[in-house]
Every structure is written in C-alpha cells, then in structure tokens.
Amino acid sequence: MKRPDSIVMFDFDGVLADSLDSFCAAMETAFAGIGRPDLATREQVLSLLDDNWFASLARAGVTAAEARTLADIFAAALSPPALLRCFPGVPAMLERLARRHLLVVITSSTAAIVNGFLAAHQLSGIEQVMGAEVDTSKVRKIERVVAAHERAACYWYVGDTTGDILEGRKSGVRTIGVTWGWHGAR
C-alpha cells in the first residue's frame, strides 16, 4: 500500500451505497428468521443504529448466536449486492480522494457485500474493506487502521448514522457526518 498523507475511512450503507430500502427488506426477512419480527420495522432498524449495530442488537435481546444467524439470513436476502444503488457523485469522489489519501471501508456489513458492490459499480480507490467478519466494533477497526498507518497526517471517519459518528469519536479520529444517508441531519 502507498504511504498516504491521510486516511479516509468510510461507512458503507448510507454513505457509499443507497441501501436503506434493500437493507430494511432484507432485515425484515432476517428478523423473521430468528423469530424477532418486532425489530423489523424501518423505524426500529434505524433506531438500532443510534449506537453500534451489534451492541444495539444485544440490548434488544438478540443473542450472539441469533446475531450470527441474522447476518447469514440477511446476506442471503440482500444478494446480489450489485442490486444496491450507488449514491450520485460517489464514484467521482472516491477517484478524486484516492489520488492523495488511503481509502478504507469500515462497516457492519460483510466484506463480501461491499466488494460485490464495489465491483458491480466499478468503483476504484478503496484499498481495504473491514467488515463485520473482522470485528463487530467500528472503534476497534478504526484503531487497527490508525495503528497500521501511524505516520499518516490525519485520520477521518465518514458515516451517516449517530452510531457511526459516536464510534468515530470514540476511536479518536475526526468524523464527518453525511446528510444523504440513513439518519440525515439531526
């Protein structure tokens, strides 16, 4: 990897991918599959993103085993990731930023979903994808990126939910909240 001036880390859903409708539909299937249709409403799904997704699931009474099953059902229901829409302007933005910065995706989705999306939309510039299979904490994933690139001048995390911004701040990096995503301006 190149030595970057700075690292720009992106959340995936709601920042790069216009995926809310697809995500909610797949979550409806997944929550039904673990016997928790009460969590499948759009409002409930969005409220689970006020903090870390996995921590919110645990507070809602979803066990670790159920969370793994939920993720498997969700991934199958969301397939193929190529069907997710790309937000307008994202391809050009990534291309421009990749000229001077190292770009990383840090997400609660799986790397397979993100990589499928990136390939389908021919998006370039992303050097690394750290999905749920790496860790369920975005804080720890951000800290791993910072530790691996400790000489970078600056570190940014770009998210769209309250939970994203909280995790970015907890990790000690600068945060940017986009308003086109799932939570919008609050």
Side-chain angles (χ1 to χ4, degrees):
M1 277 193 245
K2 60 187 171 194
R3 182 168 175 254
D5 293 334
S6 60
I7 313 288
V8 182
M9 297 166 273
F10 294 94
D11 178 43
F12 173 65
D13 292 294
V15 175
L16 304 179
D18 184 1
S19 57
L20 182 58
D21 293 337
S22 299
F23 186 93
C24 287
M27 271 301 154
E28 184 175 343
T29 301
F31 279 125
I34 65 164
R36 293 298 307 269
D38 58 302
L39 297 175
T41 68
R42 185 183 197 96
E43 294 76 24
Q44 187 63 34
V45 167
L46 288 173
S47 74
L48 290 169
L49 293 161
D50 284 340
D51 193 5
N52 173 279
W53 173 255
F54 298 99
S56 293
L57 287 175
R59 277 194 302 282
V62 176
T63 67
E66 288 172 327
R68 286 189 295 277
T69 302
L70 182 78
D72 292 342
I73 297 169
F74 171 78
L78 192 63
S79 216
L83 297 179
L84 298 176
R85 294 183 309 263
C86 187
F87 279 112
V90 164
M93 172 194 66
L94 291 176
E95 185 179 316
R96 246 185 352 269
L97 287 173
R99 291 184 198 134
R100 292 192 48 204
H101 312 286
L102 183 119
L103 308 183
V104 177
V105 173
I106 293 181
T107 180
S108 295
S109 289
T110 65
I113 290 171
V114 176
N115 287 325
F117 172 85
L118 295 173
H121 293 281
Q122 300 177 348
L123 298 177
S124 61
I126 301 293
E127 296 282 334
Q128 182 179 15
V129 175
M130 296 181 80
E133 63 283 347
V134 171
D135 198 314
T136 58
S137 167
K138 289 181 181 177
V139 173
R140 287 190 298 265
K141 288 185 273 194
I142 292 168
E143 289 171 345
R144 286 171 72 171
V145 170
V146 169
H149 303 283
E150 62 186 31
R151 293 186 182 267
C154 190
Y155 309 91
W156 297 90
Y157 185 67
V158 182
D160 67 308
T161 66
T162 303
D164 288 339
I165 300 307
L166 290 174
E167 287 194 272
R169 288 180 179 165
K170 282 179 190 175
S171 71
V173 301
R174 295 176 181 172
T175 59
I176 299 172
V178 302
T179 58
W180 61 78
W182 293 7
H183 278 173
R186 286 187 162 196

